[in-house]
Amino acid sequence: CTNCPGGKFIQDDKSDPSMHATLASCDDCSAGTFSFEGLATANCAACRAGTYSESGSSSCSDCEAGTYQPTAAQGSCEVCPAGSDSTVGQSACQKCNPGEYKPSGEKLCVDCQAGTFASGTYQKRIQTCVPGSNIETFASISVEECKVKCDADSSCLAFEYGVVYSVCDSCTLLPGDCSLQSSISGYDTDDCNGYVNNMDLYVKTSSIGDVGAH
């Protein structure tokens, strides 16, 4: 008897000799599975998550960088969603690093050009006393919602998030408020200018680092 070549198998328990008569008796493994020469089972083995195979394959191939496959026994890999990429042979994608971006349809994250920003990427600076006036105030929203609003405003370089206790009731912000900032100069001082603040500062980042340094 001669072994079926890799990528093929025979669906028979060896009880019927006619099922083993010729090479044509060997069937191709389906996409997402594989076999090596002489595989002694009625089915081909499934490719693991992060890999794939075409019909008739003798081995599985790793998903390319920028693609992924979360499920076993698949015939192809999927391109990572916008804003994420992957290394070779992955079952999941990871978000682009701060200062990187990736449009839909592209495979790999790339650096933002100098002077541009990657939406949603911020450096958090923990503050205990932040001077400066509010550019715009939005009440009772999440940090992620603040990021969306700052991304949508071309003049926004950062936003404060937290609580402000001021000398006038009309100036007091409630927990969960954020204040968009078009400038972050002076945020490295302890001068509260009559205000007592407990707000963290989220600064947009770029490929050349924290925009506050430029």
Side-chain angles (χ1 to χ4, degrees), residues 8-79:
K8 293 180 179 292
F9 72 110
I10 290 181
Q11 297 186 44
D12 180 61
D13 60 3
K14 300 182 181 179
S15 62
D16 183 358
S18 66
M19 294 290 291
H20 301 263
T22 66
L23 178 61
S25 301
C26 300
D27 297 321
D28 283 342
C29 292
S30 60
T33 66
F34 74 102
S35 73
F36 49 84
E37 183 178 347
L39 181 68
T41 67
N43 294 291
C44 298
C47 294
R48 63 173 177 79
T51 66
Y52 72 99
S53 71
E54 298 178 350
S55 176
S57 295
S58 59
S59 64
C60 301
S61 300
D62 286 334
C63 293
E64 297 179 355
T67 68
Y68 74 110
Q69 180 47 258
T71 308
Q74 299 300 307
S76 62
C77 299
E78 303 175 27
V79 176

Side-chain angles (χ1 to χ4, degrees), residues 11 16 18 23-24 33 36 62 67 70 76 96-100 112 116-117 122-123 157 164 172 181 184 187 199 204:
Q11 297 186 44
D16 183 358
S18 66
L23 178 61
T33 66
F36 49 84
D62 286 334
T67 68
S76 62
C96 294
N97 293 321
E100 296 180 338
C112 297
T116 62
F117 308 107
Y122 291 81
Q123 181 189 76
L157 296 184
V164 172
T172 301
Q181 303 293 326
I184 58 174
Y187 279 84
M199 302 187 78
K204 279 185 177 179

Side-chain angles (χ1 to χ4, degrees), residues 118-141:
S119 294
T121 55
Y122 291 81
Q123 181 189 76
K124 181 180 179 180
R125 295 183 183 180
I126 298 177
Q127 305 290 315
T128 57
C129 185
V130 184
S133 59
N134 298 323
I135 304 301
E136 190 171 356
T137 300
F138 301 94
S140 301
I141 64 176

Side-chain angles (χ1 to χ4, degrees), residues 160-185:
E160 297 172 274
Y161 188 85
V163 183
V164 172
Y165 302 95
S166 71
V167 294
C168 61
D169 291 339
S170 61
C171 300
T172 301
L173 300 181
L174 299 175
D177 281 5
C178 68
S179 303
L180 303 191
Q181 303 293 326
S182 60
S183 173
I184 58 174
S185 61

